[in-house]
Amino acid sequence: MSVETTDLLDVDDLTAAELEAVLDRAAAIKAGEDDTDLDRQTLAMVFEKPSTRTRTSFETAMTQLGGHAIFLGPDDIHLGRGEPVKDTARALAGYADAVMARLFDHADVEELAAYADVPVVNGLTDDAHPCQTLADLLTIREAFDGFDDVTVAWVGDGNNVAQSFVLGAALADLECTVTTPPSYGVDPAVMDRAAELGPAPTVVDDPHDAVGDADVVYTDVWVSMGEEDVREEKLAAFEGYQVNADLLDGSDAKVMHCLPAHRGEEITDDVIESDRELIWQQAENRLHAQAGLLVELLD
Ligand code: CP
Ligand code: NVA
């Protein structure tokens, strides 16, 4: 094991060298050059929110690695009806070799990690989505044959996916420009953390300026899980931030999206279906990136 951290609550739990080790391991597994066997180890997967990719990719990764994953949705365990996080953590750690959790409150995944004496992986909270960033970086590294001179423009909401991405981008030495509506920016504390790790992300007001000559334009939904009651307010605030043909006019940038996509809101169908997209490679890479992470944490 070359990764010393025991938990992945956000990307900067990894050093730059550890991030590279995870990506290298992921690439080797993807290429069929690493046959690490997790030998019946079990991953408990706790979900307070829905998931297509995170659930399926973690479960598939554990199967392919010779282990097993247990899906624990909100109606399956007592966490959904009031059993404390710290009690859930200690019980699950008594059975499973690692816990992956998708929770609303980031403080809850921190508490889970504090009480579980097995590795805890954040499968998305309101504040962070580090596993998405691992797949994003693997995808960028594949598409551009490394990270040298690659610039990424983040266009849209500055919450969980964006926050982990700016941290990962800094660790990977990528230039990153962020453009969001004024009240929906990346937390300044996260921007400061990123600036400590690598090239400081730049904030740009106008999405056209952000796209400029970026190599990648990356966006995420405008209405995140749990934000349905502020949907109309957010749709109004994000007007002008859609990734569409007009925004990309004159640019040869590739386009990334963590998915699920809401076509006609943050991105248009023609952009998703164009030859700019890295989106399906990005989605598939969730499997390989997490396999790399799991073997680094558990092998
Ligand atoms: N990108 C992502 O985490 O997708 P899911 O919500 O489907 O897991
Ligand atoms: N920001 C989105 C990401 C989904 C993977 C959400 O939290 O719903």
Side-chain angles (χ1 to χ4, degrees):
M1 184 174 80
S2 54
V3 167
E4 295 208 346
T5 185
T6 48
D7 302 310
L8 186 76
L9 305 188
D10 209 339
V11 185
D12 57 347
D13 286 332
L14 300 171
T15 64
E18 289 174 335
L19 172 63
E20 191 177 5
V22 170
L23 297 181
D24 287 348
R25 201 85 185 260
I29 293 169
K30 184 174 180 178
E33 292 163 359
D34 182 322
D35 58 359
T36 302
D37 186 352
L38 288 186
D39 192 20
R40 291 173 288 179
Q41 294 195 62
T42 297
L43 176 70
M45 307 191 301
V46 179
F47 283 89
E48 285 184 338
K49 305 182 185 187
S51 168
T52 299
R53 284 144 286 270
T54 304
R55 185 233 168 128
T56 314
S57 54
F58 265 108
E59 192 162 336
T60 304
M62 284 304 287
T63 302
Q64 291 181 350
L65 291 166
H68 178 65
I70 304 175
F71 174 74
L72 303 165
D75 296 328
D76 296 321
I77 57 173
H78 293 282
L79 185 65
R81 50 188 290 276
E83 185 169 19
V85 170
K86 61 187 180 183
D87 294 2
T88 305
R90 287 172 287 189
L92 293 180
Y95 313 125
D97 299 283
V99 178
M100 187 276 290
R102 166 167 287 193
L103 306 175
F104 285 94
D105 190 345
H106 194 77
D108 283 344
V109 81
E110 290 175 336
E111 185 174 343
L112 192 66
Y115 282 88
D117 60 1
V118 297
V120 171
V121 175
N122 180 1
L124 178 142
T125 60
D126 290 347
D127 295 345
H129 198 3
C131 296
Q132 181 66 53
T133 302
L134 297 179
D136 299 341
L137 294 175
L138 184 61
T139 305
I140 292 169
R141 200 171 79 159
E142 290 172 343
F144 295 92
D145 214 14
F147 296 124
D148 285 351
D149 301 322
V150 178
T151 61
V152 180
W154 178 274
V155 180
D157 204 348
N159 66 357
N160 44 20
V161 175
Q163 299 199 137
S164 290
F165 187 79
V166 298
L167 292 169
L171 267 183
D173 215 11
L174 274 171
E175 299 287 338
C176 187
T177 302
V178 178
T179 183
T180 71
S183 308
Y184 297 96
V186 170
D187 181 342
V190 173
M191 296 295 266
D192 290 346
R193 271 159 63 196
E196 296 278 313
L197 297 169
T202 317
V203 176
V204 170
D205 292 335
D206 183 338
H208 285 92
D209 292 339
V211 169
D213 52 10
D215 300 296
V216 176
V217 174
Y218 190 174
T219 192
D220 179 17
V221 291
W222 290 344
V223 183
S224 285
M225 292 178 274
E227 294 186 329
E228 293 74 16
D229 56 337
V230 291
R231 176 176 169 77
E232 294 310 319
E233 189 184 314
K234 289 200 80 175
L235 293 188
F238 281 80
E239 200 178 327
Y241 289 83
Q242 185 183 69
V243 176
N244 56 27
D246 172 59
L247 185 67
L248 296 169
D249 188 29
S251 157
D252 59 2
K254 297 292 187 187
V255 169
M256 292 176 63
H257 193 306
C258 56
L259 301 173
H262 290 189
R263 289 166 165 82
E265 293 184 14
E266 77 280 358
I267 194 166
T268 52
D269 182 69
D270 59 302
V271 170
I272 293 181
E273 302 299 339
S274 73
D275 60 9
R276 292 178 181 277
E277 65 80 19
L278 294 176
I279 296 170
W280 309 113
Q281 182 179 345
Q282 192 184 354
E284 182 191 319
N285 277 339
R286 293 294 304 277
L287 169 67
H288 308 300
Q290 290 155 198
L293 175 70
L294 288 165
V295 296
E296 286 290 329
L297 291 175
L298 294 175
D299 183 32

